[in-house]
Amino acid sequence: MKLWNEGDPIADKAAPDGPIETRWERRQFGAKLVNPANRRKLTVIVVGTGLAGGSAAATLAEAGYKVRSYCYQDSPRRAHSIAAQGGINAAKNYRNDGDSVYRLFYDTVKGGDFRARESNVYRLAQVSVNIIDQCVAQGVPFAREYGGLLDNRSFGGTQVSRTFYARGQTGQQLLLGAYQAMERQIAAGNIEMHARHEMLELVVVDGRARGVVVRDLVTGEITTDFADAVVLASGGYGNVFFLSTNAKGCNVTATWRAHRKGALFANPCYTQIHPTCIPESGTHQSKLTLMSESLRNDGRVWVPKRAGDDRKPADIAEDERDYYLERIYPSFGNLVPRDIASRAAKNVCDEGRGVGPGGLGVYLDFADAITRLGRPAVEAKYGNLFEMYQRITGEDPYVTPMRIYPAVHYTMGGLWVDYDLQSTIPGLFVIGEANFSDHGANRLGASALMQGLADGYFVLPNTINDYLAAGPYPAVAADDPAVVSARASVEDRISALLAVDGDRTVDSFHRELGHIMWEYCGMDRTEQGLTKAISLIRALREEFWTRVKVPGTGEQLNQNLERAGRVADFFELAELMCVDALHRTESCGGHFRAESQTPDGEALRHDDAFSYVAAWEFTGTGEPPVLHKEALGFEYVHPTQRSYK
């Protein structure tokens, strides 16, 4: 059976040409405006309240639009952005170490293995400097040097210090800044907040996104809501792997429902495996825990030189240790990009030199830093991270090196958007991790927070005006056939899930799906493995719809029902991820095809055949998706074989 068909190419028609330094300024000037009086007549729905959704809702409401915001958490500040640890990048050059907007642009394009749009990345680098000023004005307590100036540290894939941070709680502090801005607008009556509501369908009327169908997670009530535009800020899809650093509630349902309605899904196989996570300890686990990349500033990564060496780390002499990242990549050392660090960890473990249970771990050692800086200095930088590690593992990282291993963390793929962040459905805008736009095949550390706040505070509020200037759009009637159909599809799906009444739990299916994905579509992918994965996923999906057990009803709080709907969408996404990985027979960034590597085991791109965005069109469950290619051009950063040696 044919796994995919190729359709017409797609182009980003909103992107300006000309000098890259002025493209964003010219796009802002060329976009239509909405005067303040007319903004009060326009409504925008924002789904998600993380950094992207929270900042967008607050900014749009501040501008005068009527905003209705939805999240499935019990409070907007419970969004998963709050879990981000290490920092946020900005090209401020406070360290006077050679940083600039252009260098941040260059590092991001190179770090993404030349699979991102230059225009989007340059705009991100430009806007980054404004984000820090915005957040400082909100009172975000960034770390400061002794003299009171904002401090910086380094992250992977760079040779400058451009990362602003608040100990190991940067995401929390940034989200609270966006949350307080949002709460101010809620109190002013400009944002109508709906917590504990999950979006289950997109309403498309006359070809435009006009609303959503949501379920009240407490009462089970299903309602429809209409607006002039819809913004999705619902995050990534890493939980398709079951075990990831994402919160358990993170899911793909909002974006997948939009994909099924016609929004193209771009580069789904680009997933980020983070190199510094606490290793899996057993089958009882439901998620994994991130240890911030910032730890690699002072921590040194090593394994024993001898395979099978199970001595305690303190008993292994210095000359018997292999600081493999420092050895293989002397220019960047322990701060190589995440995809490279993760594969290197996998390689040494595959050689039998891994540490801990099952040999699936490497050491992250702070002994040198404690000797050089003193324990109080290390504690001031990383104290909360060390405490978290000790609580989870029972080991003291001040005395014994941390054990870390790669885990799924972020997804670079997402709904396709143009330069204005608008999807292929007019009126549907997608921001933050939910879109694909800025990171190519690999995201550099501390760039997720940067993109989320750039999209929410500065990009979307400018570009959505161009669309809303043609509004208000005609009112949508509750009995419109498109609305009735959308609502009925939600009700029918819930009924179908409850009616199966099988003998297997939702989590058992999710765990098995995650194992398939990690085994065949994880850090190392092959044609044989991906083909096998597609067959396994299809068989498991069929079994799910005949054996899943969802107790309770739809008219009550029912977390089994919530999870069942999300896992059903993960099945369809998982197949598309494998198809995307199968069709891309090159290696690039987080997508590593074992058949395409350099003699020394690095990712080998094929720019002549794959220098494009793969945007997939949904044609029906089990039907071959259609591939639309968006060609990538590089005028400023010319593609080369990435080297961090």
Side-chain angles (χ1 to χ4, degrees):
M1 178 182 175
K2 197 170 186 180
L3 293 176
W4 74 88
N5 296 308
E6 188 164 337
D8 296 331
I10 190 172
D12 178 6
K13 297 178 181 177
D17 53 13
I20 199 168
E21 297 83 359
T22 61
R23 288 178 186 174
W24 175 228
E25 181 182 1
R26 286 183 285 112
R27 178 60 190 133
Q28 286 176 282
F29 181 76
K32 298 172 185 173
L33 299 177
V34 182
N35 80 52
N38 287 339
R39 291 175 201 160
R40 293 192 291 271
K41 305 173 186 176
L42 295 160
T43 302
V44 179
I45 290 172
V46 180
V47 179
T49 57
L51 286 181
S55 59
T59 308
L60 292 171
E62 185 82 41
Y65 294 110
K66 291 185 290 185
V67 177
R68 287 199 285 276
S69 184
Y70 288 88
C71 70
Y72 64 79
Q73 296 90 348
D74 57 3
S75 165
R77 67 174 181 267
R78 295 290 296 274
H80 188 57
S81 297
I82 207 161
Q85 298 172 355
I88 177 171
N89 289 329
K92 287 285 199 180
N93 195 31
Y94 283 170
R95 286 291 185 90
N96 196 28
D97 56 0
D99 200 11
S100 63
V101 167
Y102 194 89
R103 187 173 295 279
L104 175 52
F105 159 66
Y106 173 86
D107 287 345
T108 305
V109 173
K110 177 184 175 184
D113 217 354
F114 306 96
R115 291 295 176 261
R117 295 180 186 145
E118 284 190 328
S119 292
N120 288 63
V121 176
Y122 195 89
R123 175 177 65 188
L124 179 64
Q126 283 179 303
V127 169
S128 72
V129 298
N130 300 330
I131 297 172
I132 304 304
D133 297 340
Q134 168 86 0
C135 295
V136 169
Q138 290 176 334
V140 172
F142 286 122
R144 294 180 180 267
E145 296 175 330
Y146 180 77
L149 300 177
L150 294 177
D151 196 12
N152 293 113
R153 56 189 177 196
S154 298
F155 259 61
T158 70
Q159 292 178 307
V160 297
S161 296
R162 65 163 68 103
T163 304
F164 295 79
Y165 64 98
R167 289 187 87 193
Q169 305 169 342
T170 314
Q172 181 186 57
Q173 300 304 324
L174 292 173
L175 184 60
L176 291 176
Y179 170 70
Q180 69 187 20
M182 193 177 172
E183 283 294 315
R184 177 174 174 270
Q185 294 303 318
I186 293 172
N190 299 326
I191 296 178
E192 188 179 297
M193 184 66 228
H194 299 273
R196 302 302 298 272
H197 283 72
E198 182 171 22
M199 172 186 159
L200 296 179
E201 190 59 274
L202 179 72
V203 177
V204 179
V205 180
D206 297 330
R208 297 181 185 273
R210 295 302 310 275
V212 294
V213 181
V214 298
R215 179 174 179 268
D216 184 320
L217 299 182
V218 177
T219 67
E221 182 184 9
I222 295 169
T223 56
T224 53
D225 192 10
F226 308 120
D228 295 287
V230 177
V231 178
L232 295 186
S234 50
Y237 48 89
N239 273 348
V240 68
F241 290 88
F242 186 72
L243 288 179
S244 79
T245 66
N246 291 179
K248 283 302 295 177
C250 294
N251 62 84
V252 76
T253 291
T255 49
W256 194 254
R257 296 289 105 191
H259 174 56
R260 290 174 63 98
K261 279 294 181 74
L264 300 187
F265 207 111
N267 300 334
C269 77
Y270 289 168
T271 52
Q272 179 161 89
I273 314 293
H274 198 294
T276 51
C277 302
I278 298 177
E280 181 181 354
S281 60
T283 56
H284 63 281
Q285 277 183 274
S286 60
K287 75 177 299 295
L288 297 172
T289 303
L290 173 71
M291 286 285 103
S292 170
E293 182 169 313
S294 62
L295 294 169
R296 288 194 278 141
N297 272 274
D298 293 305
R300 300 180 70 192
V301 180
W302 65 275
V303 292
K305 287 183 177 179
R306 179 171 58 85
D309 191 338
D310 58 359
R311 290 176 292 170
K312 294 179 180 179
D315 297 335
I316 301 175
E318 191 71 17
D319 61 357
E320 296 180 280
R321 301 178 178 187
D322 180 14
Y323 294 91
Y324 59 90
L325 291 178
E326 298 173 24
R327 170 175 58 83
I328 302 171
Y329 308 102
S331 293
F332 285 74
N334 295 297
L335 285 175
V336 292
R338 293 174 176 178
D339 59 320
I340 290 175
S342 293
R343 282 198 295 273
K346 180 181 184 299
N347 290 340
V348 296
C349 290
D350 289 348
E351 293 169 4
R353 296 193 288 145
V355 301
L360 294 178
V362 300
Y363 288 126
L364 181 61
D365 197 336
F366 288 85
D368 285 358
I370 292 171
T371 301
R372 184 178 75 253
L373 303 171
R375 175 166 171 159
V378 173
E379 197 167 344
K381 280 185 174 182
Y382 310 117
N384 66 307
L385 297 172
F386 277 44
E387 180 185 358
M388 181 167 63
Y389 180 87
Q390 186 168 8
R391 286 184 176 184
I392 292 171
T393 66
E395 300 172 1
D396 184 355
Y398 293 105
V399 178
T400 303
M402 289 183 177
R403 286 180 297 106
I404 57 170
Y405 192 70
V408 174
H409 176 59
Y410 186 89
T411 53
M412 285 75 67
L415 292 184
W416 185 93
V417 291
D418 62 15
Y419 190 72
D420 287 352
L421 305 183
Q422 186 170 207
S423 73
T424 47
I425 300 176
L428 178 66
F429 293 78
V430 191
I431 59 177
E433 191 179 355
N435 75 30
F436 87 102
S437 66
D438 292 348
H439 305 295
N442 175 65
R443 177 177 68 75
L444 292 183
S447 288
L449 307 188
M450 175 173 63
Q451 185 210 347
L453 292 181
D455 286 356
Y457 280 136
F458 299 105
V459 180
L460 178 77
N462 281 286
T463 61
I464 199 171
N465 290 333
D466 191 63
Y467 176 80
L468 292 175
Y473 293 95
V476 178
D479 59 354
D480 186 290
V483 177
V484 173
S485 173
R487 181 173 177 135
S489 70
V490 170
E491 293 170 342
D492 292 347
R493 194 162 183 260
I494 290 173
S495 297
L497 288 167
L498 292 168
V500 176
D501 196 25
D503 58 357
R504 282 191 64 178
T505 66
V506 175
D507 277 2
S508 73
F509 280 106
H510 193 183
R511 187 183 291 275
E512 187 173 344
L513 174 64
H515 178 76
I516 294 169
M517 292 301 291
W518 179 252
E519 188 71 22
Y520 302 111
C521 197
M523 279 193 283
D524 193 87
R525 303 162 177 181
T526 64
E527 179 180 359
Q528 181 181 4
L530 290 165
T531 304
K532 181 178 180 180
I534 292 170
S535 297
L536 292 173
I537 291 166
R538 289 177 173 176
L540 189 62
R541 185 177 68 226
E542 288 185 17
E543 185 181 349
F544 174 86
W545 284 103
T546 57
R547 290 188 61 191
V548 71
K549 175 73 172 180
V550 183
T553 70
E555 292 77 40
Q556 64 179 138
L557 174 66
N558 190 339
Q559 293 185 318
N560 284 293
L561 179 60
E562 295 169 33
R563 289 197 294 269
R566 296 165 188 170
V567 172
D569 289 332
F570 277 141
F571 275 117
E572 296 182 2
L573 167 70
E575 182 174 338
L576 182 63
M577 289 172 66
C578 292
V579 169
D580 188 36
L582 185 64
H583 109 276
R584 192 174 284 274
T585 56
E586 65 165 357
S587 292
C588 56
H591 168 63
F592 189 79
R593 285 289 296 266
E595 305 95 332
S596 181
Q597 53 185 302
T598 64
D600 54 355
E602 302 291 350
L604 180 62
R605 297 193 321 272
H606 299 295
D607 294 335
D608 55 333
F610 291 102
S611 189
Y612 61 78
V613 174
W616 296 91
E617 177 186 350
F618 182 81
T619 58
T621 303
E623 296 299 318
V626 176
L627 170 63
H628 301 273
K629 299 178 181 178
E630 180 201 337
L632 293 170
F634 296 92
E635 301 174 58
Y636 295 87
V637 184
H638 298 292
T640 58
Q641 176 65 37
R642 275 195 314 169
S643 175
Y644 293 93
K645 296 185 177 182

